[in-house]
Amino acid sequence: MAIAIDNAGIDGGNNGGSTSSLSFAFTMGSVSNGLLIVVFAGDTLGGNDDVTTVTYNGVGMTLAVKGTNAGANRFLYVYYLPNPASGSHNVVINVGHNHYILAGAASYSGIKQSGQPDNTVSGRTAGALTTLTETLTTVADLCWTMAVFGGFDSNNPPSAGAGTTRRAKDGAFGTWGLFDHNAAITPAGSASLTATYPDAIVIMGAMASFAPAVATDTWPVPPLAKPDLSHFALPWVTV
Amino acid sequence: MSDTIATFTMPTPVVSVPFALRAAGDHLFTCNVPVPNGLRFARLTILLQDADKLADGKVLSWQFAFSSDGGATWQFENGSTWTSYGPGGLIVTDPDGTVHVNADPTLYCPLDTRAGQLVQATLTLGQDLQAGALIEIK
């Protein structure tokens, strides 16, 4: 089963920084082997890296990767949940102190339901630049890669670079964008996602790869041929 | 209790709900004009007195909802729960660098997919409270 996009991404808004929670509605399709990805920017670097729970429909989500690189704008987080309930339910993010929570989400089908993520990486630009490319090595064949890129550039959100599709963005401040490769990585190996901003800023990224539910390749079965048994023929012996 | 906001005034829409003593429970603020095209977000600010923000144990929650059927049904969009800061107060720095000392509770909601829909904000007070509400769209 190949991985495919389900809900192509939403902006969940933000809490204005004066509370320690944010809830937003997300609609999951009726898909096989679903995966919910929630990304968000949290407190400023040097502040509180203090996420306590992330849930969807009351079910706890798991941290895949986070960006904590000094010099960047805000902590970035990628959480995931296999087999999320279909329909519209709430994502609820709780943190330990009052600070901004700026969040979004997207969902996929055809994802392996255990042993995820396949691989992760996080990093930031070396100084102020307009582009950041995150690269990891996928382990399983036919993975998809997803990432959150973040920074602050005069309320401009990050755009997708080569080989990258943006699914959602922070519409208020442009602090984050949710991206994926929009195709399977095959064979397994190096995979990159790239985000760009109009102006040079410190950009941070946190990226994960997710393996497909099952291998999509099936070996063709050739038609059975009548066996050639001629070489088993024994000479008749006359006695 | 329901307060209906008459209109959004474009292109710099600011709608305010009077600052008043409001009873514990739900207060609905509904805009009866559809969201225009090309907007990025709505911002709901609950206006409070400093004394209440610096008190202990004051609680409120607030949320946005949208209707695509003229107000017959409403779909929750996002929300949060606020607890008063206590005597220490709180300083919030927006991503754009704007600093708010003892910030009023604020919630941002995306509008880029909501053109043509009605927007409603709900304020739920955990106790009687002097409160106003400001809804801005951008």
Side-chain angles (χ1 to χ4, degrees), chain A residues 117-142:
Chain A
D118 172 83
N119 202 356
T120 64
V121 68
S122 69
R124 71 169 178 90
T125 53
L129 297 171
T130 59
T131 298
L132 173 62
T133 297
E134 290 287 358
T135 302
L136 57 68
T137 301
T138 59
V139 177
D141 191 19
L142 299 166

Side-chain angles (χ1 to χ4, degrees), chain A residues 11-25 74 90 98 100 102 152 155 169 171-173 175, chain B residues 40-41 62 76-83 85 90 92-96 103-110 112:
Chain A
D11 174 9
N14 71 73
N15 68 339
S18 61
T19 73
S20 59
S21 68
L22 176 69
S23 302
F24 62 95
R74 289 178 179 273
N90 291 346
N98 291 341
Y100 263 94
L102 310 105
F152 182 76
N155 299 326
K169 66 182 187 305
F173 294 106
T175 57
Chain B
R40 289 166 48 210
F41 61 84
W62 68 124
F76 168 82
E77 174 71 12
N78 67 355
S80 188
T81 297
W82 177 88
T83 301
Y85 306 129
L90 179 73
V92 173
T93 303
D94 291 345
D96 63 7
D104 286 319
T106 304
L107 180 69
Y108 287 75
C109 175
D112 55 348

